[in-house]
Coordinates of all heavy atoms in Angstrom, one line a residue:
M247 N 17.5 18.6 19.0 CA 18.3 19.6 18.2 C 18.7 19.0 16.8 O 18.6 19.6 15.8 CB 19.5 20.0 18.9 CG 20.3 21.1 18.2 SD 21.4 21.9 19.3 CE 22.8 22.1 18.3
G248 N 19.1 17.7 16.9 CA 19.5 17.0 15.6 C 18.3 16.9 14.6 O 18.6 17.0 13.4
V249 N 17.1 16.7 15.1 CA 16.0 16.6 14.2 C 15.7 17.9 13.6 O 15.3 18.0 12.4 CB 14.7 16.1 15.0 CG1 13.5 16.2 14.1 CG2 14.9 14.7 15.5
G250 N 15.8 19.0 14.4 CA 15.6 20.3 13.8 C 16.6 20.7 12.7 O 16.3 21.3 11.7
I251 N 17.9 20.3 12.9 CA 18.9 20.5 11.9 C 18.6 19.7 10.6 O 18.7 20.2 9.5 CB 20.3 20.2 12.5 CG1 20.7 21.2 13.5 CG2 21.3 20.2 11.4 CD1 21.9 20.9 14.3
L252 N 18.2 18.4 10.8 CA 17.8 17.6 9.7 C 16.6 18.2 8.9 O 16.7 18.3 7.7 CB 17.4 16.2 10.2 CG 17.0 15.2 9.1 CD1 18.2 14.9 8.2 CD2 16.4 14.0 9.7
L253 N 15.6 18.7 9.6 CA 14.5 19.4 8.9 C 15.0 20.6 8.2 O 14.4 20.9 7.1 CB 13.4 19.7 10.0 CG 12.6 18.5 10.5 CD1 11.6 19.0 11.5 CD2 11.9 17.8 9.4
M254 N 15.8 21.4 8.8 CA 16.3 22.6 8.1 C 17.1 22.2 6.8 O 16.9 22.9 5.8 CB 17.2 23.4 9.0 CG 16.5 24.2 10.1 SD 17.4 25.4 10.9 CE 19.1 24.8 11.1
V255 N 17.9 21.2 6.9 CA 18.7 20.8 5.7 C 17.7 20.3 4.6 O 17.8 20.6 3.4 CB 19.7 19.7 6.0 CG1 20.3 19.0 4.8 CG2 20.8 20.3 6.9
C256 N 16.7 19.4 5.0 CA 15.8 18.9 4.0 C 14.9 20.1 3.5 O 14.6 20.1 2.3 CB 14.8 17.9 4.7 SG 15.7 16.4 5.0
G257 N 14.5 21.1 4.3 CA 13.8 22.2 3.8 C 14.6 23.1 2.9 O 14.1 23.5 1.9
A258 N 15.9 23.3 3.2 CA 16.7 24.0 2.2 C 16.9 23.3 0.9 O 16.9 23.9 -0.2 CB 18.1 24.2 2.9
A259 N 17.0 21.9 0.9 CA 17.1 21.2 -0.3 C 15.8 21.3 -1.1 O 15.8 21.4 -2.3 CB 17.4 19.7 0.0
G260 N 14.6 21.3 -0.4 CA 13.4 21.4 -1.1 C 13.2 22.8 -1.7 O 12.6 23.0 -2.8
V261 N 13.7 23.8 -1.0 CA 13.6 25.2 -1.5 C 14.5 25.3 -2.8 O 14.0 25.8 -3.8 CB 14.0 26.2 -0.4 CG1 14.3 27.6 -1.1 CG2 13.0 26.3 0.6
G262 N 15.6 24.7 -2.7 CA 16.5 24.8 -3.9 C 16.0 24.0 -5.1 O 15.9 24.5 -6.2
W263 N 15.4 22.9 -4.8 CA 14.9 22.0 -5.9 C 13.6 22.7 -6.4 O 13.4 22.7 -7.7 CB 14.6 20.6 -5.3 CG 14.1 19.7 -6.4 CD1 14.9 18.9 -7.2 CD2 12.8 19.4 -6.7 NE1 14.1 18.2 -8.1 CE2 12.8 18.4 -7.8 CE3 11.5 19.8 -6.2 CZ2 11.6 17.9 -8.3 CZ3 10.4 19.2 -6.8 CH2 10.5 18.3 -7.8
G264 N 12.8 23.2 -5.5 CA 11.5 23.8 -6.0 C 11.8 25.1 -6.8 O 11.2 25.3 -7.9
A265 N 12.8 25.9 -6.4 CA 13.1 27.1 -7.1 C 13.7 26.7 -8.5 O 13.4 27.4 -9.5 CB 14.1 27.9 -6.4
L266 N 14.5 25.7 -8.6 CA 15.2 25.2 -9.8 C 14.0 24.9 -10.8 O 14.1 25.4 -12.0 CB 16.0 24.0 -9.5 CG 16.8 23.4 -10.7 CD1 17.9 24.3 -11.0 CD2 17.3 22.1 -10.3
Y267 N 13.0 24.2 -10.5 CA 11.9 23.8 -11.4 C 10.9 24.9 -11.6 O 10.4 25.1 -12.7 CB 11.3 22.5 -11.0 CG 12.2 21.3 -11.3 CD1 13.0 20.7 -10.3 CD2 12.2 20.8 -12.6 CE1 13.8 19.7 -10.7 CE2 13.0 19.7 -12.9 CZ 13.8 19.1 -11.9 OH 14.6 18.1 -12.2
L268 N 10.6 25.6 -10.5 CA 9.5 26.7 -10.6 C 10.0 27.8 -11.6 O 9.2 28.2 -12.4 CB 9.2 27.2 -9.3 CG 8.2 28.4 -9.2 CD1 6.8 27.9 -9.8 CD2 8.0 28.9 -7.8
F269 N 11.2 28.3 -11.4 CA 11.7 29.4 -12.2 C 12.5 28.9 -13.5 O 13.0 29.7 -14.1 CB 12.5 30.3 -11.4 CG 11.7 30.8 -10.2 CD1 12.2 30.6 -8.9 CD2 10.6 31.6 -10.4 CE1 11.4 31.1 -7.9 CE2 9.9 32.1 -9.3 CZ 10.3 31.9 -8.0
D270 N 12.5 27.6 -13.7 CA 13.1 27.0 -14.8 C 14.6 27.4 -14.9 O 15.0 27.8 -16.0 CB 12.4 27.3 -16.1 CG 12.7 26.3 -17.2 OD1 13.2 25.2 -16.9 OD2 12.5 26.7 -18.4
L271 N 15.3 27.4 -13.8 CA 16.7 27.8 -13.8 C 17.5 26.7 -14.6 O 17.4 25.6 -14.4 CB 17.2 27.9 -12.4 CG 16.5 28.9 -11.5 CD1 17.0 28.8 -10.1 CD2 16.6 30.3 -12.0
R272 N 18.3 27.2 -15.5 CA 19.2 26.5 -16.3 C 18.4 25.5 -17.2 O 19.0 24.4 -17.6 CB 20.2 25.8 -15.5 CG 21.1 26.7 -14.6 CD 22.0 26.0 -13.7 NE 23.2 25.7 -14.3 CZ 24.1 25.0 -13.8 NH1 23.9 24.4 -12.6 NH2 25.3 24.8 -14.3
G273 N 17.1 25.7 -17.5 CA 16.3 24.9 -18.3 C 16.0 23.6 -17.6 O 15.8 22.6 -18.3
A274 N 15.9 23.5 -16.3 CA 15.6 22.3 -15.7 C 14.3 21.7 -16.0 O 14.2 20.4 -16.2 CB 15.7 22.5 -14.1
A275 N 13.2 22.4 -16.1 CA 11.9 21.9 -16.4 C 11.9 21.4 -17.8 O 11.3 20.3 -18.1 CB 10.8 23.0 -16.2
D276 N 12.5 22.1 -18.7 CA 12.5 21.6 -20.1 C 13.3 20.3 -20.3 O 13.0 19.4 -21.0 CB 13.1 22.7 -21.0 CG 12.3 24.0 -21.1 OD1 11.0 23.8 -20.9 OD2 12.8 25.0 -21.2
K277 N 14.5 20.3 -19.5 CA 15.3 19.1 -19.6 C 14.6 17.9 -19.0 O 14.7 16.7 -19.5 CB 16.6 19.3 -18.8 CG 17.6 20.2 -19.6 CD 18.8 20.4 -18.7 CE 19.7 21.5 -19.3 NZ 20.9 21.7 -18.4
A278 N 13.8 18.1 -17.9 CA 13.1 17.0 -17.3 C 12.0 16.5 -18.2 O 11.8 15.3 -18.3 CB 12.5 17.5 -16.0
A279 N 11.3 17.4 -18.9 CA 10.3 16.9 -19.9 C 10.9 16.2 -21.0 O 10.4 15.2 -21.5 CB 9.5 18.2 -20.4
A280 N 12.0 16.6 -21.5 CA 12.7 15.9 -22.6 C 13.2 14.6 -22.1 O 13.1 13.5 -22.8 CB 13.9 16.7 -23.1
R281 N 13.7 14.5 -20.9 CA 14.2 13.3 -20.3 C 13.0 12.3 -20.2 O 13.2 11.1 -20.4 CB 14.9 13.5 -18.9 CG 15.5 12.3 -18.3 CD 16.2 12.6 -17.0 NE 16.9 13.8 -17.0 CZ 16.7 14.9 -16.2 NH1 15.7 14.8 -15.4 NH2 17.4 15.9 -16.3
R282 N 11.8 12.8 -19.8 CA 10.7 11.9 -19.6 C 10.3 11.3 -21.0 O 10.0 10.1 -21.1 CB 9.5 12.7 -19.0 CG 8.2 11.9 -18.9 CD 7.2 12.7 -18.2 NE 5.9 12.1 -18.3 CZ 5.5 11.1 -17.5 NH1 6.3 10.6 -16.6 NH2 4.3 10.6 -17.7
N283 N 10.3 12.1 -22.0 CA 10.0 11.6 -23.3 C 11.0 10.6 -23.8 O 10.6 9.6 -24.5 CB 9.9 12.8 -24.3 CG 8.6 13.6 -24.1 OD1 7.6 13.1 -23.6 ND2 8.6 14.9 -24.4
A284 N 12.3 10.8 -23.5 CA 13.3 9.8 -23.9 C 13.1 8.5 -23.2 O 13.3 7.5 -23.9 CB 14.6 10.4 -23.6
V285 N 12.8 8.6 -21.9 CA 12.6 7.3 -21.2 C 11.4 6.6 -21.8 O 11.4 5.4 -21.9 CB 12.4 7.6 -19.7 CG1 11.9 6.4 -19.0 CG2 13.7 8.0 -19.1
R286 N 10.3 7.4 -22.1 CA 9.1 6.7 -22.7 C 9.5 6.0 -24.0 O 8.9 5.0 -24.3 CB 8.0 7.7 -22.9 CG 7.3 8.1 -21.6 CD 6.3 9.2 -21.8 NE 5.3 8.9 -22.8 CZ 4.1 8.3 -22.5 NH1 3.9 8.0 -21.3 NH2 3.3 8.0 -23.4
A287 N 10.3 6.7 -24.8 CA 10.7 6.1 -26.1 C 11.5 4.8 -25.9 O 11.3 3.8 -26.7 CB 11.5 7.1 -26.9
V288 N 12.4 4.8 -25.0 CA 13.2 3.6 -24.7 C 12.3 2.5 -24.2 O 12.4 1.3 -24.6 CB 14.3 3.9 -23.7 CG1 15.0 2.6 -23.2 CG2 15.4 4.8 -24.3
T289 N 11.4 2.8 -23.3 CA 10.5 1.8 -22.8 C 9.6 1.3 -23.8 O 9.3 0.0 -23.9 CB 9.6 2.4 -21.7 OG1 10.4 3.0 -20.7 CG2 8.7 1.4 -21.0
A290 N 9.1 2.1 -24.8 CA 8.3 1.6 -25.9 C 9.1 0.7 -26.8 O 8.6 -0.3 -27.3 CB 7.9 2.8 -26.8
A291 N 10.4 0.9 -27.0 CA 11.3 0.1 -27.8 C 11.5 -1.3 -27.1 O 11.5 -2.3 -27.8 CB 12.6 0.7 -28.1
R292 N 11.6 -1.3 -25.8 CA 11.8 -2.5 -25.1 C 10.6 -3.4 -25.0 O 10.7 -4.6 -25.1 CB 12.3 -2.2 -23.7 CG 13.7 -1.8 -23.6 CD 14.2 -1.6 -22.2 NE 15.5 -1.1 -22.1 CZ 16.1 -0.6 -21.1 NH1 15.4 -0.6 -19.9 NH2 17.3 -0.2 -21.0
T293 N 9.4 -2.7 -24.8 CA 8.2 -3.5 -24.6 C 7.3 -3.6 -25.9 O 6.3 -4.3 -25.8 CB 7.3 -2.8 -23.5 OG1 7.0 -1.5 -23.9 CG2 8.1 -2.8 -22.2
L294 N 7.8 -3.0 -27.0 CA 7.0 -3.0 -28.2 C 5.6 -2.5 -28.0 O 4.7 -2.9 -28.7 CB 7.0 -4.4 -28.8 CG 8.4 -5.0 -29.1 CD1 8.2 -6.4 -29.6 CD2 9.1 -4.1 -30.2
D295 N 5.5 -1.5 -27.1 CA 4.2 -0.8 -26.9 C 4.2 0.5 -27.7 O 4.8 1.5 -27.1 CB 3.9 -0.6 -25.4 CG 2.6 0.0 -25.1 OD1 1.8 0.2 -26.1 OD2 2.3 0.2 -23.9
L296 N 3.6 0.6 -28.8 CA 3.6 1.8 -29.6 C 2.9 3.0 -28.9 O 3.2 4.1 -29.3 CB 3.1 1.6 -30.9 CG 3.9 0.6 -31.8 CD1 3.2 0.4 -33.1 CD2 5.3 1.0 -31.9
G297 N 2.1 2.8 -27.9 CA 1.4 3.9 -27.3 C 2.4 4.7 -26.5 O 2.2 5.9 -26.2
L298 N 3.4 4.1 -26.0 CA 4.5 4.8 -25.2 C 5.4 5.7 -26.1 O 6.1 6.5 -25.6 CB 5.3 3.9 -24.4 CG 4.6 3.1 -23.2 CD1 5.5 2.1 -22.6 CD2 4.1 4.2 -22.2
A299 N 5.4 5.4 -27.4 CA 6.3 6.1 -28.3 C 5.9 7.5 -28.5 O 6.7 8.4 -29.0 CB 6.4 5.3 -29.7
Q300 N 4.6 7.9 -28.2 CA 4.1 9.2 -28.4 C 4.7 10.1 -27.2 O 4.8 9.6 -26.1 CB 2.6 9.2 -28.4 CG 2.0 8.4 -29.5 CD 0.5 8.4 -29.4 OE1 -0.1 8.8 -28.4 NE2 -0.1 7.8 -30.4
P301 N 5.0 11.3 -27.5 CA 5.5 12.2 -26.4 C 4.4 12.3 -25.3 O 3.2 12.3 -25.6 CB 5.7 13.5 -27.1 CG 5.7 13.3 -28.6 CD 4.9 12.0 -28.8
S302 N 4.9 12.5 -24.2 CA 4.0 12.7 -23.0 C 3.3 14.0 -23.0 O 3.8 15.0 -23.6 CB 4.9 12.6 -21.7 OG 4.1 12.9 -20.6
R303 N 2.1 14.0 -22.5 CA 1.3 15.2 -22.5 C 1.7 16.1 -21.3 O 1.4 17.3 -21.3 CB -0.2 14.9 -22.3 CG -0.8 14.4 -23.6 CD -2.2 14.1 -23.4 NE -2.4 12.8 -22.9 CZ -3.4 12.3 -22.2 NH1 -4.5 13.1 -22.1 NH2 -3.4 11.1 -21.8
L304 N 2.5 15.6 -20.4 CA 3.0 16.3 -19.3 C 4.3 17.1 -19.7 O 5.4 16.5 -19.9 CB 3.4 15.4 -18.1 CG 2.2 14.6 -17.5 CD1 2.8 13.7 -16.4 CD2 1.1 15.5 -17.0
G305 N 4.2 18.4 -20.0 CA 5.3 19.1 -20.5 C 6.1 19.8 -19.3 O 6.0 19.4 -18.2
A306 N 6.7 20.9 -19.7 CA 7.6 21.6 -18.7 C 6.6 22.3 -17.7 O 7.1 22.5 -16.5 CB 8.4 22.6 -19.4
S307 N 5.4 22.6 -18.1 CA 4.5 23.2 -17.1 C 4.2 22.3 -15.9 O 3.9 22.8 -14.8 CB 3.2 23.6 -17.8 OG 2.5 22.5 -18.4
F308 N 4.1 21.0 -16.1 CA 3.9 20.0 -15.0 C 5.0 20.2 -14.0 O 4.8 20.2 -12.8 CB 3.8 18.6 -15.6 CG 3.8 17.6 -14.6 CD1 2.7 17.4 -13.7 CD2 4.9 16.8 -14.3 CE1 2.7 16.4 -12.7 CE2 4.9 15.9 -13.3 CZ 3.8 15.7 -12.5
F309 N 6.3 20.2 -14.5 CA 7.4 20.2 -13.6 C 7.5 21.6 -12.9 O 7.9 21.7 -11.8 CB 8.7 19.9 -14.4 CG 8.8 18.5 -14.8 CD1 8.5 18.1 -16.1 CD2 9.0 17.5 -13.9 CE1 8.5 16.8 -16.6 CE2 9.1 16.1 -14.3 CZ 8.8 15.8 -15.7
R310 N 7.1 22.6 -13.6 CA 7.0 23.9 -12.9 C 6.0 24.0 -11.9 O 6.2 24.6 -10.8 CB 6.7 25.0 -14.0 CG 7.9 25.3 -14.8 CD 7.6 26.5 -15.7 NE 8.8 26.8 -16.5 CZ 8.8 27.7 -17.5 NH1 7.8 28.4 -17.7 NH2 9.9 27.9 -18.2
A311 N 4.8 23.3 -12.1 CA 3.8 23.3 -11.0 C 4.3 22.5 -9.8 O 4.0 22.8 -8.7 CB 2.5 22.6 -11.6
I312 N 5.0 21.4 -10.1 CA 5.5 20.6 -8.9 C 6.5 21.4 -8.2 O 6.6 21.4 -7.0 CB 6.2 19.3 -9.5 CG1 5.0 18.4 -10.1 CG2 6.9 18.6 -8.4 CD1 4.0 17.9 -9.1
G313 N 7.3 22.2 -8.9 CA 8.3 23.1 -8.2 C 7.6 24.1 -7.4 O 8.0 24.5 -6.3
G314 N 6.4 24.6 -7.9 CA 5.6 25.6 -7.2 C 5.0 25.0 -5.9 O 4.7 25.7 -5.0
V315 N 4.9 23.7 -5.8 CA 4.4 23.1 -4.6 C 5.5 22.8 -3.6 O 5.4 23.1 -2.4 CB 3.6 21.8 -4.9 CG1 3.3 21.0 -3.7 CG2 2.3 22.1 -5.7
V316 N 6.6 22.4 -4.2 CA 7.7 22.0 -3.3 C 8.4 23.2 -2.7 O 8.8 23.1 -1.5 CB 8.7 21.1 -4.1 CG1 10.0 20.9 -3.3 CG2 8.1 19.8 -4.5
L317 N 8.5 24.3 -3.4 CA 9.2 25.5 -2.8 C 8.5 26.0 -1.5 O 9.2 26.1 -0.5 CB 9.2 26.6 -3.9 CG 9.8 27.9 -3.4 CD1 11.3 27.7 -3.2 CD2 9.6 29.0 -4.5
P318 N 7.2 26.3 -1.5 CA 6.7 26.7 -0.2 C 6.7 25.6 0.9 O 6.9 25.9 2.1 CB 5.2 27.1 -0.5 CG 4.9 26.7 -1.9 CD 6.2 26.3 -2.5
C319 N 6.5 24.4 0.5 CA 6.6 23.3 1.5 C 8.0 23.2 2.1 O 8.1 22.9 3.3 CB 6.2 22.0 0.9 SG 4.5 21.9 0.4
G320 N 9.0 23.4 1.3 CA 10.4 23.4 1.8 C 10.6 24.5 2.7 O 11.3 24.4 3.7
L321 N 10.0 25.7 2.4 CA 10.2 26.8 3.3 C 9.5 26.6 4.7 O 10.1 26.8 5.7 CB 9.5 28.1 2.7 CG 10.3 28.8 1.6 CD1 9.4 29.9 1.0 CD2 11.6 29.4 2.2
V322 N 8.4 26.0 4.7 CA 7.7 25.6 5.9 C 8.5 24.6 6.7 O 8.7 24.7 7.9 CB 6.3 25.1 5.6 CG1 5.6 24.5 6.9 CG2 5.4 26.2 5.1
L323 N 9.0 23.6 6.0 CA 9.8 22.6 6.6 C 11.1 23.2 7.3 O 11.4 22.8 8.4 CB 10.2 21.5 5.6 CG 10.8 20.2 6.1 CD1 9.7 19.5 7.0 CD2 11.2 19.3 5.0
G324 N 11.7 24.1 6.6 CA 12.9 24.7 7.1 C 12.6 25.6 8.3 O 13.3 25.6 9.3
L325 N 11.4 26.3 8.3 CA 11.1 27.1 9.4 C 10.7 26.3 10.6 O 11.0 26.6 11.8 CB 9.9 28.0 9.1 CG 10.3 29.2 8.1 CD1 9.0 29.9 7.8 CD2 11.3 30.1 8.7
I326 N 10.1 25.1 10.4 CA 9.8 24.2 11.5 C 11.1 23.7 12.1 O 11.3 23.6 13.4 CB 8.9 23.0 11.1 CG1 7.5 23.6 10.8 CG2 8.9 22.0 12.1 CD1 6.6 22.6 10.1
G327 N 12.0 23.3 11.3 CA 13.4 22.9 11.7 C 14.1 24.0 12.5 O 14.7 23.7 13.5
L328 N 14.0 25.2 12.1 CA 14.6 26.3 12.7 C 14.0 26.5 14.1 O 14.7 26.7 15.1 CB 14.5 27.6 11.9 CG 15.1 28.9 12.5 CD1 16.6 28.7 12.6 CD2 14.7 30.1 11.7
A329 N 12.7 26.4 14.2 CA 12.0 26.6 15.5 C 12.4 25.5 16.4 O 12.6 25.7 17.6 CB 10.5 26.6 15.3
L330 N 12.5 24.3 15.9 CA 12.9 23.1 16.8 C 14.3 23.2 17.2 O 14.7 22.9 18.4 CB 12.7 21.8 16.1 CG 11.3 21.3 15.9 CD1 11.3 20.0 15.1 CD2 10.6 21.0 17.2
T331 N 15.2 23.8 16.4 CA 16.6 23.9 16.7 C 16.8 25.0 17.8 O 17.5 24.9 18.7 CB 17.4 24.3 15.5 OG1 17.2 23.2 14.5 CG2 18.9 24.4 15.8
L332 N 16.0 26.1 17.6 CA 16.2 27.2 18.6 C 15.6 26.9 19.9 O 16.0 27.4 21.0 CB 15.6 28.5 18.0 CG 16.3 29.1 16.8 CD1 15.6 30.3 16.2 CD2 17.7 29.4 17.1
T333 N 14.5 26.2 20.0 CA 13.9 25.9 21.2 C 14.4 24.6 21.9 O 14.3 24.5 23.2 CB 12.3 25.6 21.1 OG1 12.2 24.5 20.2 CG2 11.6 26.8 20.5
G334 N 15.2 23.8 21.2 CA 15.7 22.6 21.9 C 17.1 22.8 22.2 O 17.9 22.5 22.9

């Protein structure tokens, strides 16, 4: 029963995180892309690698695609946890 509850909680977290990025709620995908570019700029300054100073080609669409994968996987994980909880 404890494993089922744990899977349900992890599934709910995955659904929430996936929906946040898939539907770009509160600009999450845009913020993640901007954060990635900022980290690349800091790393370029530390290592003196000018190739990292260019913006990443992975934009907000990459984070939306990852959210599109995580959302259904979280739903499946939550349903498995629900089935284990109800049967155990």
